[in-house]
Every structure is written in C-alpha cells, then in structure tokens.
Amino acid sequence: MYAKGHIGLTLLMLSLLMLPFGENENAFLVIVLASGVSTLPDTDLKWQRRGLPVHHRGVTHSVLFAMIIGSLMGVFFHYLYETSLWFVTGFIGGFFGIICHLIGDSFTFHSFKPFWPFSNIQVAFGFCKASDKKVNENLMVLGGLAFILYTLATIGGL
C-alpha cells in the first residue's frame, strides 16, 4: 500500500475508534498523530536506496516498531506537557499509526512478519496489490470522509 492508502486507512479506522470519546482534544490529536506516522514504516525503502542493508517490510513493519514509536511519541508529549495523559495520547497515536500501516500492508500479496520478534508468523491476505491506485485513492477518500464526519459528529455539527 502506498502513502495515500495508509493515511486514508488510518483516518478511517481511528475516526471510528475515537468516536465514542466524543468531543475530546486528545482523541482528535490521536487521529492526527496516527495519520502522520502511518507512513513511517516505509522509510525502510529510503534506507535501501541509500545502500543500507535493510529489507522492505522488515523491522519497521512490526509490533515492536509500533511500541518503540509509540513510546518515543509518548515521552515527547510527556516532556512537552508534563502529564501522563499526554504520554498516553502520544503513545496511542504513535502505536496505532504503525499498527494501521501493518493492517494495510496485510491486505496485499507481499508477506511480512508483523509480530517479529515475538513470532515468525508471516501475513499476506492477498486482497490487492500495494500499487493498486484505485484502492489507495479510495481509502484516502473514505478516510477523509470518515474524519470529516467524526469532526462534525464530535463538535456537534451533525
């Protein structure tokens, strides 16, 4: 899946997941943060182009990476605001942004080990090609609409 697809899927999933929290700046921020980091695992492609010995859908496509990014974002927000609530907000945003990326990649044909290093189970459901332009664009449209509806629903516009 490409960046548009990952961002759209993250907007879609987290807009639905955060809806029960109602009008809440932390829930809104979780959606924005998660969408912002949802393409981060594909930095391994950039590293490859620079000659680094990594393979695509390796370490950066794992729950361990999600925990690391979540923790780093949690520490960053805790440092800024000095409350545990902001640590949790940062952690959830970072963690779920990466998890949504993994879910998106699991729909493609290219298998990977999302539970590494805890398990070597490989995942690839084979629903679409990562490069499928229609899938990526439609996910972005659906995610954008879901986020708009989430925003309207939580601020009382609906």
Side-chain angles (χ1 to χ4, degrees):
M1 193 165 290
Y2 290 173
K4 279 185 183 179
H6 285 301
I7 293 167
L9 180 63
T10 303
L11 285 169
L12 176 62
M13 291 178 66
L14 288 182
S15 292
L16 295 172
L17 285 172
M18 293 295 124
L19 199 54
F21 294 98
E23 188 176 354
N24 181 316
E25 70 178 11
N26 293 82
F28 182 86
L29 186 58
V30 162
I31 298 169
V32 173
L33 290 173
S35 299
V37 301
S38 66
T39 62
L40 189 59
D42 285 338
T43 56
D44 58 7
L45 291 169
K46 292 176 187 172
W47 296 343
Q48 274 183 335
R49 283 185 227 122
R50 291 189 176 134
L52 294 173
V54 296
H55 68 280
H56 184 48
R57 295 191 182 179
V59 172
T60 62
H61 286 68
S62 68
V63 172
L64 175 64
F65 188 69
M67 290 189 288
I68 291 168
I69 296 303
S71 297
L72 289 172
M73 288 183 67
V75 167
F76 176 74
F77 277 93
H78 185 268
Y79 175 78
L80 285 179
Y81 298 104
E82 299 179 349
T83 68
S84 56
L85 175 63
W86 283 101
F87 173 85
V88 172
T89 300
F91 179 85
I92 291 172
F95 180 79
F96 278 107
I98 305 303
I99 294 299
C100 288
H101 184 104
L102 301 181
I103 290 169
D105 279 353
S106 73
F107 295 150
T108 69
F109 292 98
H110 183 174
S111 65
F112 67 105
K113 299 175 185 177
F115 304 110
W116 180 90
F118 311 108
S119 170
N120 283 323
I121 293 173
Q122 293 198 20
V123 175
F125 296 117
F127 297 135
C128 63
K129 290 183 178 180
S131 61
D132 189 321
K133 192 173 183 176
K134 285 185 179 183
V135 169
N136 283 286
E137 289 177 358
N138 287 333
L139 280 171
M140 186 59 152
V141 169
L142 286 172
L145 289 172
F147 184 62
I148 290 167
L149 291 172
Y150 162 82
T151 303
L152 291 173
T154 58
I155 62 171
L158 286 179

